[in-house]
Amino acid sequence: VLKEATNEISRWPQEIDFIAVTIGPGLIPSLLVGTNVARVLSYATKKPLVGVNHLEGHIYSNWLAPARLSAYNQTPPAKYFKNRKPQFPAICLIVSGGHTELILMKNYGKYRLLGKTRDDAAGEAFDKIARMLNLGYPGGPIIDKLSRQGNSFAFSFPRPMIHTKTYDFSFSGLKTAVHYLLDDLAINELERKKPDIAASFQEAVVETLVSKTLRAAQEFNTKTIMISGGVSANSRLRKVFSKAGRKLKKVKILFPPMELTTDNAAMIAIAGYFNWLSGKKNSWKTLKADANLTLMG
Ligand code: KG4
Ligand code: ZN
């Protein structure tokens, strides 16, 4: 990966301003590989090192332009950014395979956690349901596609915690509801009903996510809603949010470019850029990975 990335740079390392690296949260073996490579690079090239929170990377993916407009050494057209500049305060919904968090972002680098999942993450729920339906991995894109042939109201699955006052989520009950349904279905029926099950499950997740996010935006009077993480690629989620956005005239709803919704290096670079601007630098001597890093700490 490093070789491929540096090949793209005409004057390596002179052209580089700093090296950004994910320091957490995540699995410690992968974090150690990444941080140690970055520390060595920083030492060898004498470039500053900037540690980045993985979730902060997802949030900042909303500041990026799609690859087709931002080829190396080419500035994306200003008109792309015209109506896309995030304004504060903002509500950030991060929905990925490991996280479902609702965050109030007051300014660059200023976060307050409003709520998170108490059990499974939204992406994890997609992956588990896909496994139950024998559809393959990762489940999110497969369920998204299959749902287009199904009826979202064929089965009424629960919308867990949708009416609770907190901004926490829970998706394990939804998983159990799908499980019970599958137990009751005859095998020949299951094949035929898969698109309906996928669409009804997806609808339950989307409705829960959208409802809590809009409520938070209203309560905190936010100007922008930013959705990010792998699940933000979901076509139904994008559609329902965009429809809600047309009604909420004063709130801008942003999604990252499709190809930057799942984990990628560009989002770490841009989050590193904002950290670097605000003077947050690390030394190769002291930079440490933290498996349980939070956005607030
Ligand atoms: O952000 P990400 O790449 O990794 C983590 O940081 O966890 O997210 C991966 C998750 C997987 O659970 C995957 O099933 C889900 O994102 N995902 C989707 C879609 N594309 C990816 N979920 C729903 N609809 C999609 N189109
Ligand atoms: Zn991620």
Side-chain angles (χ1 to χ4, degrees):
V1 168
L2 192 58
K3 199 166 170 205
E4 216 176 301
T6 49
N7 274 346
E8 291 256 326
I9 301 163
S10 52
R11 287 180 306 118
W12 160 263
Q14 296 88 322
E15 241 182 274
I16 297 291
D17 293 311
F18 61 89
I19 293 160
V21 63
T22 307
I23 50 172
L27 298 173
I28 204 70
S30 10
L31 292 171
L32 285 178
V33 172
T35 48
N36 284 331
V37 169
R39 290 172 64 211
V40 170
L41 279 181
S42 165
Y43 172 77
T45 60
K46 302 193 170 55
K47 299 287 176 183
L49 190 58
V50 183
V52 172
N53 182 308
H54 179 78
L55 298 177
E56 197 168 23
H58 276 302
I59 291 176
Y60 280 111
S61 64
N62 278 289
W63 271 257
L64 293 167
R68 69 187 155 81
L69 298 177
S70 52
Y72 175 66
N73 249 352
Q74 219 177 297
T75 313
K79 90 168 182 258
Y80 175 78
F81 293 104
K82 199 169 161 236
N83 292 315
R84 289 191 50 94
K85 194 172 169 6
Q87 286 177 308
F88 303 113
I91 288 288
C92 305
L93 172 70
I94 305 176
V95 267
S96 70
H99 296 269
T100 302
E101 299 197 359
L102 207 50
I103 290 156
L104 176 66
M105 185 176 184
K106 291 178 205 150
N107 210 327
Y108 293 97
K110 295 267 174 290
Y111 311 101
R112 185 176 136 198
L113 180 68
L114 300 177
K116 60 180 185 165
T117 182
R118 294 193 179 171
D119 39 59
D120 294 347
E124 192 181 355
F126 271 94
D127 295 335
K128 285 181 177 167
I129 300 301
R131 208 166 86 192
M132 283 184 205
L133 296 173
N134 233 338
L135 294 171
Y137 181 87
I142 308 172
I143 290 193
D144 190 349
K145 204 165 155 210
L146 187 64
S147 295
R148 287 174 210 160
Q149 305 154 31
N151 172 2
S152 348
F153 302 99
F155 300 99
S156 72
F157 292 129
R159 272 68 173 149
M161 298 184 72
I162 200 164
H163 297 301
T164 57
K165 277 200 175 136
T166 71
Y167 288 111
D168 281 350
F169 301 91
S170 160
F171 293 107
S172 72
L174 178 55
K175 188 180 61 188
T176 313
V178 177
H179 191 84
Y180 283 143
L181 173 79
L182 296 186
D183 278 352
D184 289 345
L185 278 182
I187 290 179
N188 58 348
E189 231 183 341
L190 172 64
E191 244 354 275
R192 209 162 36 84
K193 298 270 183 191
K194 272 185 187 178
D196 285 349
I197 298 171
S200 304
F201 157 77
Q202 179 175 270
E203 198 63 26
V205 176
V206 167
E207 205 183 306
T208 311
L209 294 174
V210 173
S211 147
K212 293 231 167 185
T213 309
L214 294 182
R215 183 153 60 80
Q218 214 168 17
E219 180 178 342
F220 296 97
N221 228 336
T222 54
K223 296 186 176 145
T224 314
I225 294 175
M226 285 180 262
I227 299 108
S228 61
V231 182
S232 73
N234 187 269
S235 60
R236 183 73 188 147
L237 186 73
R238 285 183 175 234
K239 203 166 168 184
V240 176
F241 261 123
S242 305
K243 205 169 151 197
R246 283 195 288 276
K247 279 194 207 147
L248 302 168
K249 290 196 179 68
K250 287 189 186 146
V251 188
K252 203 168 9 185
I253 300 192
L254 300 177
F255 280 92
M258 211 52 179
E259 69 275 19
L260 299 172
T261 52
T262 45
D263 291 350
N264 63 84
M267 71 186 200
I268 302 305
I270 189 140
Y273 172 72
F274 284 108
N275 285 349
W276 182 61
L277 282 185
S278 66
K280 281 187 211 154
K281 284 176 212 156
N282 304 85
S283 145
W284 65 267
K285 283 187 197 160
T286 52
L287 180 105
K288 273 204 171 65
D290 178 356
N292 302 312
L293 188 71
T294 67
L295 260 183
M296 296 3 102

